[in-house]
Amino acid sequence: LKGLRVARWQPGLALYPSSVIKLAVLVEAALRDASGDLAATGGLVAPAQFVSTNPVLTRQDVDAALDLVVAGDHAAANGLIDRLGMERINGSMADLGLTNTVLSRRFNAPVPSHTPANQMTAVDAARLMYRLARRDLPQGQAADRVRASLGRNPHNDMLSRDLMGLPGVRTLHLGG
């Protein structure tokens, strides 16, 4: 993962992260599930193709939710946010050293006008992806699950075919 060239241009610039901040939701869900904490709390509300009201989520339930979020499903992301809690997601990201990542609102949901926008700088997104690639999370298997979901994303048409066709290159993609 170490290259010979490094480029840097305003890595801490605060831009609206759009769906990139879903990485924080995915990582928190995988971490909580790996610790057994996610399975111990109520049902998960998600769209019609994935609905689980079972108080104990199975591994398949969590994987399905992660895959839907990766594919760009805002309702699945909001279901995980509701279940995990924004404060807990933000706390975990801070614990991982991502000090410029703040989840303040759900996706495509009305909020009071004074609610700040979600924030995740490019450098925080890159650091989180780097940690995923290195399995550098409190539970390594959580990184494996997030990477597996990113790798299964069926909507990777925005990635360069040249990049995807390189031997030994595996692409990971988070849909909007």
Side-chain angles (χ1 to χ4, degrees), residues 41-129:
T41 60
L44 179 64
V45 178
Q49 64 266 41
F50 172 73
V51 177
S52 176
T53 55
N54 185 351
V56 178
L57 292 180
T58 67
R59 182 173 186 83
Q60 292 77 19
D61 290 333
V62 175
D63 285 340
L66 294 179
D67 286 354
L68 284 168
V69 172
V70 166
D73 193 305
H74 292 324
N78 289 339
L80 283 175
I81 290 167
D82 292 344
R83 180 154 188 162
L84 301 167
M86 283 187 202
E87 287 182 18
R88 181 91 182 252
I89 295 168
N90 291 332
S92 290
M93 294 307 104
D95 290 347
L96 292 173
L98 308 178
T99 57
N100 294 305
T101 297
V102 180
L103 182 66
S104 303
R105 48 177 75 192
R106 298 165 81 236
F107 295 94
N108 290 351
V111 294
S113 60
H114 65 279
T115 304
N118 292 333
Q119 176 184 323
M120 182 178 226
T121 58
V123 72
D124 273 8
R127 284 181 180 145
L128 187 53
M129 288 299 293

